Amino acid sequence: MDDISLMRRCIALARRACGSTSPNPMVGAILYKDGQVIAEDYHRKAGEPHAEALVLKRAGAEAEGATLYVSLEPCCHTGKRTPPCTDAIIGAKIKRVVAAMLDPNPSVSGMGLVMLKKAGIETTVGILQTQAERLNEVYIKYITTKIPFVILKAAMTLDGKMAAPDGQSKWITCEKSRRYVHRIRSSVDAVLTAIGTVKADNPRLTARGRGLRSPVRVCIDPSLETPLDYAILKTPPRTIIVTKEQAQDTGGFAPGVELIHYDGRLDLKWLMQELGQRHITSVMIEGGASLTGHAVEDGIVDKVIFFIAPKIIGGKGVYCPVSSKTFRSIESPYEVYDMRARALGTDIVIEGYL
């Protein structure tokens, strides 16, 4: 097996922990020696052993002289919950280390490989770097900016409607698309919505499915209109309500409900900074056209995921996926790049970066 095929396997191993490692990156590792994989594993959860430590433990003395493949540069810094992986690699007498990418964490960022080189270990970096960066796009943004990576999700019909003229929107997409949305929810730290969606649908905004983890819910509710018996206040995990300064009546809220206050017009960039301070590394926006338009205008969206159902509603309703106060001309729109489209059940899902 060559470097590329082994690194591809590392990235596939790392992806198994999608939604479980925040605020840590997803990392997979393989030990290869004498033409054979002698150990492979991946980091499962923050605070638990790193992928490198796991494969070294599995291989034991057999690790001496092996090549370590890892999807992210091994860590070298102290003061965290797990010991530096570079020390363990040097101690195991690894011959060569191949990393897909450098760790963007300023506490590491190239220094891990420098330490390994100083110990006489051959190093290679950049194998499948683009794929590795996409795998950890959330970690890369958060560790360098302390601002969450933001995904905008929307569903619409073939004629561009996210609801019928009477407001009905269940269910535009097919069952496979809805299951995929639950997996996306499970992969992010928080889901952002607004009071209009909550009052219209009384959603739980949980990730439902075997082994899926539900995100924190963040609801923009300026006047504290969320009924106390609604699902987002009664269903685990916790909910953050974003409300205006003068909205002080919190009587009846469950103890786990947190309030973030603002004044004037809500600046979503400011809100993302507030969520980042609460160690929320990723957010998916699930709301109406006004919230999505607000998010695009405020420049917080990193990635878009649009579901298009093979249905035509017609009518004169204005229920389009993105509705903002201003618009861009045809010559200078918000452009989506690195776009990919695929069939999902009877729907088409389009993903790209804004």
Side-chain angles (χ1 to χ4, degrees):
M1 299 178 73
D2 59 15
D3 286 354
I4 291 176
S5 58
L6 286 160
M7 189 58 70
R8 187 175 290 117
R9 175 64 179 164
C10 278
I11 292 172
L13 286 166
R15 193 173 284 113
R16 291 182 183 180
C18 183
S20 301
T21 62
S22 179
N24 285 2
M26 292 173 276
V27 182
I30 289 175
L31 278 176
Y32 189 71
K33 183 179 179 181
D34 298 331
Q36 292 185 354
V37 172
I38 59 173
E40 62 178 29
D41 218 320
Y42 61 97
H43 178 52
R44 285 164 175 76
K45 187 178 180 182
E48 294 189 4
H50 289 188
E52 301 96 313
L54 289 170
V55 294
L56 291 173
K57 184 177 180 180
R58 282 179 179 272
E62 198 177 353
E64 182 174 351
T67 296
L68 171 66
Y69 290 84
V70 61
S71 56
L72 184 72
E73 176 187 9
C75 66
C76 60
H77 55 307
T78 57
K80 52 192 180 59
R81 288 178 282 186
T82 52
C85 289
T86 48
D87 291 354
I89 293 167
I90 294 167
K93 299 181 180 179
I94 296 298
K95 180 182 178 182
R96 180 181 178 227
V97 172
V98 182
M101 60 177 285
L102 296 179
D103 190 337
N105 185 341
S107 299
V108 184
S109 196
M111 291 184 286
L113 292 183
V114 167
M115 289 183 67
L116 296 176
K117 286 179 183 177
K118 287 181 177 179
I121 298 173
E122 181 187 348
T123 63
T124 303
V125 66
I127 304 297
L128 297 185
Q129 180 173 327
T130 300
Q131 293 89 324
E133 289 173 344
R134 281 292 160 81
L135 172 72
N136 278 310
E137 58 194 9
V138 167
Y139 171 74
I140 292 170
K141 181 181 180 184
Y142 184 75
I143 202 67
T144 55
T145 66
K146 299 303 178 186
I147 295 172
F149 185 90
V150 179
I151 300 170
L152 171 60
K153 188 270 297 184
M156 63 182 182
T157 60
L158 204 56
D159 57 341
K161 306 290 176 55
M162 62 187 301
D166 61 2
Q168 182 182 355
S169 61
K170 290 187 176 181
W171 293 99
I172 284 178
T173 56
C174 69
E175 178 63 28
K176 280 190 175 181
S177 291
R178 297 198 293 273
R179 286 201 298 267
Y180 182 45
V181 169
H182 284 286
R183 293 201 301 273
I184 302 170
R185 281 183 192 163
S186 181
S187 74
V188 298
D189 289 343
V191 169
L192 175 65
T193 192
I195 184 60
T197 297
V198 169
K199 291 175 75 174
D201 300 333
N202 188 15
R204 285 177 284 173
L205 296 176
T206 52
R208 297 182 288 281
R210 185 176 179 181
L212 298 185
R213 172 194 62 92
S214 291
V216 173
R217 290 169 296 245
V218 181
C219 177
I220 300 171
D221 182 2
S223 303
L224 290 182
E225 299 175 63
T226 305
L228 296 179
D229 61 346
Y230 265 37
I232 66 166
L233 299 181
K234 296 292 186 180
T235 310
R238 68 190 177 102
T239 296
I240 298 172
I241 301 291
V242 184
T243 190
K244 288 202 170 183
E245 289 285 358
Q246 63 267 29
Q248 298 293 338
D249 183 12
T250 60
F253 276 0
V257 176
E258 178 186 355
L259 297 185
I260 295 179
H261 287 96
Y262 70 96
D263 200 11
R265 178 190 182 275
L266 177 60
D267 181 346
L268 290 181
K269 283 187 176 179
W270 169 84
L271 178 58
M272 292 305 107
Q273 292 171 350
E274 289 290 311
L275 296 180
Q277 290 174 12
R278 289 159 174 79
H279 306 291
I280 290 173
T281 69
S282 55
V283 173
M284 180 164 73
I285 298 172
E286 290 196 67
S290 178
L291 175 58
T292 59
H294 191 173
V296 170
E297 279 190 324
D298 279 9
I300 67 166
V301 178
D302 297 294
K303 185 176 185 178
V304 295
I305 304 178
F306 274 52
F307 296 83
I308 303 174
K311 300 173 182 178
I312 296 174
I313 290 178
K316 295 183 179 180
V318 198
Y319 289 102
C320 62
V322 180
S323 178
S324 54
K325 292 180 180 179
T326 61
F327 68 93
R328 294 287 190 94
S329 68
I330 294 296
E331 291 78 20
S332 59
Y334 298 102
E335 293 200 39
V336 176
Y337 65 95
D338 286 355
M339 188 185 78
R340 69 186 184 100
R342 61 190 175 94
L344 192 60
T346 56
D347 302 334
I348 294 173
V349 59
I350 297 175
E351 303 185 27
Y353 297 84
L354 199 60

